[in-house]
């Protein structure tokens, strides 16, 4: 099953469904690949009944679907998958600020948590560098705080997203797998020290 690039959330109940922290986490796993309820319960360290309840809620609101079934020891196992790689509230739902905020905050936290797990599981060579010339490195770890208007930041993000799509389109049949994750959001104040000369 090929995932849609983006699913537009039209109903408030759908938005409330994925604003739940656990469901947001389950959805992130199901964007990556198909899982059974039992597999998800093991990954999340939770009771199967609780995970199945949340899967049923996500399926009821058309956010995930059963992509295949397998018979194992006389029991039918359902494999669930998200219907899209990303979920975006429609313009009509934007006034429901708290639900939209909760969804995106949970999604950001879950992406960071998944990135941490991917870094822990990565091979040793992933963190070795071939030389002191950064242009030859096949890894990066960057933090940056910038001060600018929301409009200018959004404009830059549009260009950055285009680069991400370009990278995705350049995949090759042979080669190594690489992982890239990015988050960006407004903050209240910087954590990095700002030089006095930069302030002027």
């Amino acid at each position: 099953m090929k995932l849609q690039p983006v699913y537009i959330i039209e109903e408030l109940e759908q938005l409330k469904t994925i604003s739940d922290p656990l469901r947001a986490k389950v959805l992130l796993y199901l964007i990556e690949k198909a899982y059974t309820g039992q597999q998800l319960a093991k990954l999340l360290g939770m009771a199967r009944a609780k995970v199945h309840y949340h899967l049923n809620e996500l399926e009821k609101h058309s956010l995930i679907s059963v992509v295949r079934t397998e018979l194992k020891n006389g029991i039918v196992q359902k494999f669930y998958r998200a219907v899209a790689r990303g979920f975006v509230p429609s313009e009509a739902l934007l006034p429901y600020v708290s639900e939209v905020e909760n969804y995106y905050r949970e999604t950001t936290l879950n992406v960071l948590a998944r990135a941490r797990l991917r870094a822990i599981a990565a091979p040793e060579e992933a963190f070795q560098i071939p030389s002191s010339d950064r242009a030859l490195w096949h890894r990066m770890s960057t933090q940056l705080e910038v001060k600018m208007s929301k409009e200018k930041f959004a404009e830059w993000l549009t260009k950055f997203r285009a680069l991400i799509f370009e990278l995705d389109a350049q995949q090759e049949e042979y080669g190594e797998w690489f992982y890239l994750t990015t988050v960006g959001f407004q903050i209240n104040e910087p954590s990095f020290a700002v030089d006095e000369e930069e302030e002027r």
Side-chain angles (χ1 to χ4, degrees):
M1 170 189 156
K2 187 167 174 62
L3 274 64
Q4 300 173 44
V6 176
Y7 179 91
I8 305 298
I9 301 166
E10 301 286 356
E11 299 170 17
L12 180 57
E13 286 307 309
Q14 287 180 307
L15 184 58
K16 286 180 176 177
T17 299
I18 59 174
S19 297
D20 175 86
L22 179 57
R23 288 183 205 138
K25 187 179 285 188
V26 167
L27 197 57
L28 189 63
Y29 274 104
L30 296 178
I31 287 171
E32 291 179 5
K33 64 181 186 178
Y35 286 102
T36 65
Q38 184 174 354
Q39 289 170 332
L40 285 168
K42 189 174 181 181
L43 281 169
L44 298 167
M46 299 180 62
R48 278 192 341 206
K50 187 170 185 177
V51 170
H52 278 288
Y53 168 76
H54 291 294
L55 285 171
N56 288 336
E57 287 297 303
L58 289 165
E59 186 180 22
K60 180 172 81 177
H61 293 288
S62 305
L63 301 164
I64 65 171
S65 64
V66 176
V67 291
R68 74 177 192 275
T69 57
E70 289 180 8
L71 191 62
K72 188 175 179 181
N73 300 327
I75 299 170
V76 176
Q77 293 189 321
K78 295 179 182 179
F79 285 80
Y80 297 89
R81 188 87 198 266
V83 297
R85 292 191 179 281
F87 295 83
V88 177
S90 69
E91 293 284 330
L93 293 178
L94 294 183
Y96 297 95
V97 177
S98 66
E99 283 83 2
V100 172
E101 177 194 326
N102 289 344
Y103 168 64
Y104 281 111
R105 187 182 303 272
E106 287 303 322
T107 299
T108 300
L109 290 170
N110 287 322
V111 165
L112 291 170
R114 293 293 291 144
R116 180 180 181 275
L117 293 174
R118 300 294 290 272
I120 290 168
E124 288 180 15
E125 67 182 285
F127 303 103
Q128 296 167 356
I129 56 172
S131 80
S132 59
D133 181 0
R134 282 187 165 196
L136 301 175
W137 291 13
H138 55 266
R139 63 160 301 278
M140 67 175 281
S141 177
T142 305
Q143 291 187 77
L144 178 67
E145 293 172 340
V146 293
K147 190 173 186 179
M148 60 180 58
S149 69
K150 290 179 183 178
E151 293 77 17
K152 190 170 181 182
F153 188 61
E155 184 182 313
W156 184 88
L157 284 179
T158 299
K159 295 176 190 172
F160 184 71
R161 285 187 191 100
L163 272 177
I164 297 293
F165 294 138
E166 180 187 316
L167 177 66
D168 190 38
Q170 290 180 17
Q171 292 197 53
E172 301 170 332
E173 186 177 348
Y174 303 102
E176 306 298 330
W177 282 103
F178 293 91
Y179 173 72
L180 178 68
T181 188
T182 308
V183 298
F185 46 85
Q186 184 179 337
I187 55 176
N188 289 324
E189 57 187 37
S191 294
F192 301 133
V194 178
D195 293 337
E196 286 183 19
E197 286 187 11
E198 289 179 17
E199 286 273 297
R200 293 186 199 131

